[in-house]
Amino acid sequence: MSLAPAFTIPDAMGMRRAMGRFLTGVAVVTTQHEDEQYGMTISSLTSISLEPPILMISLNFGTRTGEALMESGKFAVSILGAKQESVARRFAVRGGDRFGDGDFDVTDSGLPVIKGALAQADCTVVQQYDVGDHQVFFGQVTTCRDRDGEVLAFKAGRFGSFSDFGHAEIPWMF
């Protein structure tokens, strides 16, 4: 019988390793400020409330996207499908032209969203907090749409896909 590792106070890499064990989806958050578009790949996206519909995103301090989002007060989210890894990678690197070669739709508020994404949501910021080394934004969803497809997944620094066990869908409304 092997012993489990001892609990330790995590440094940044220890925290990254531990949280890397959590499978997440992949999304692109976009915003616009003074006629310039901004966007970045995120895995920190959570549905907070259904009534009213509110999403939470978390961005590192000092990102151009975060600064533009603070100024504009709005953002859009595109939840990526399994065949959109190249989009995730393009929006994950610093610098470069993220919007030049892509296919985009436009939300009612004028924000770009990734064409063909599994879900797209247009949000207005209702709260923002600075927590640790991140800016946390809560956005009320003003419009959204979705389609069927396989989700792009992320775990321990790698992209992949999700396979279910074939069980019936769980009814989440209690």
Side-chain angles (χ1 to χ4, degrees):
M1 176 169 98
S2 65
L3 295 175
F7 281 95
T8 62
I9 298 171
D11 59 11
M13 288 309 295
M15 185 66 172
R16 181 181 292 265
R17 271 193 322 275
M19 293 300 97
R21 306 301 180 226
F22 186 63
L23 180 70
T24 66
V26 181
V28 169
V29 62
T30 55
T31 193
Q32 186 168 312
H33 178 63
E34 296 180 350
D35 295 327
E36 189 170 347
Q37 297 174 326
Y38 300 86
M40 62 188 293
T41 301
I42 62 170
S43 59
S44 54
L45 165 67
T46 303
S47 174
I48 296 295
S49 172
L50 298 177
E51 294 181 22
I54 295 182
L55 297 179
M56 182 198 77
I57 62 169
S58 175
L59 310 177
N60 285 331
F61 277 120
T63 65
R64 294 179 332 130
T65 302
E67 291 169 8
L69 203 159
M70 288 285 290
E71 294 296 323
S72 72
K74 61 184 181 176
F75 64 92
V77 172
S78 302
I79 298 174
L80 301 181
K83 295 181 180 178
Q84 294 180 307
E85 179 182 348
S86 63
V87 174
R89 289 183 179 278
R90 184 171 72 240
F91 278 83
V93 297
R94 292 181 188 253
D97 183 7
R98 295 181 166 122
F99 295 93
D101 289 337
D103 289 326
F104 301 93
D105 292 324
V106 178
T107 66
D108 289 346
S109 71
L111 296 179
V113 286
I114 308 300
K115 186 180 280 289
L118 296 183
Q120 300 161 328
D122 202 6
C123 303
T124 301
V125 175
V126 293
Q127 293 285 328
Q128 187 273 321
Y129 297 96
D130 295 344
V131 179
D133 57 6
H134 275 63
Q135 296 173 293
V136 179
F137 297 92
F138 294 86
Q140 183 161 347
V141 179
T142 56
T143 61
C144 67
R145 64 184 181 182
D146 67 282
R147 66 180 185 85
D148 287 333
E150 296 298 319
V151 68
L152 181 61
F154 189 73
K155 178 181 174 269
R158 295 190 168 122
F159 291 105
S161 60
F162 169 78
S163 296
D164 68 45
F165 294 136
H167 301 298
E169 186 175 319
I170 296 172
W172 287 106
M173 302 301 274
F174 300 104

